[in-house]
Amino acid sequence: MERVSEDEVEAVEAVPDVHLSVLAGAERMNVQHFRIEPGATVPSHGHEQEQVGYLTAGELTFVLEDGEVVVREGDSYALEAEEVHAAENRGEEAVEGVDIFSPPRTMADWGEE
């Protein structure tokens, strides 16, 4: 069994004001914690992994090819593999949550896309 505390992992600033921490992982999935500051945007991208997540704080707007979906604290969401999406914190408080990726995703590569 693997146990990983968020306090033991250094967060990476993937793009300005978007911080990611890779937490526990296994052969077929892993967990990441994220914090997105007010006004920050995760650029539009797609990836081979299925992604499911849960917001623990704030409100996040997902920008999809066919519209927008607002996710609030306490909501969960799911994105199919290769589903193109961006995410924007349009609120006044930081957004925090966890994402689970299958297969595992080691770190976002938005700067390369």
Side-chain angles (χ1 to χ4, degrees), residues 13-20 34-45 59-64 68 85-91 95 108 110-111:
E13 189 171 24
V15 293
D17 294 329
V18 177
H19 304 272
L20 305 175
F34 61 86
R35 180 180 174 94
I36 304 172
E37 299 298 333
T41 297
V42 173
S44 183
H45 66 285
E59 180 177 291
L60 191 61
T61 301
F62 282 91
V63 180
L64 309 169
E68 297 182 352
H85 59 286
E88 300 176 355
N89 182 350
R90 298 175 180 170
V95 172
W110 303 320

Side-chain angles (χ1 to χ4, degrees), residues 59-76:
E59 180 177 291
L60 191 61
T61 301
F62 282 91
V63 180
L64 309 169
E65 291 181 322
D66 61 350
E68 297 182 352
V69 176
V70 176
V71 180
R72 295 176 178 82
E73 179 179 337
D75 289 348
S76 60

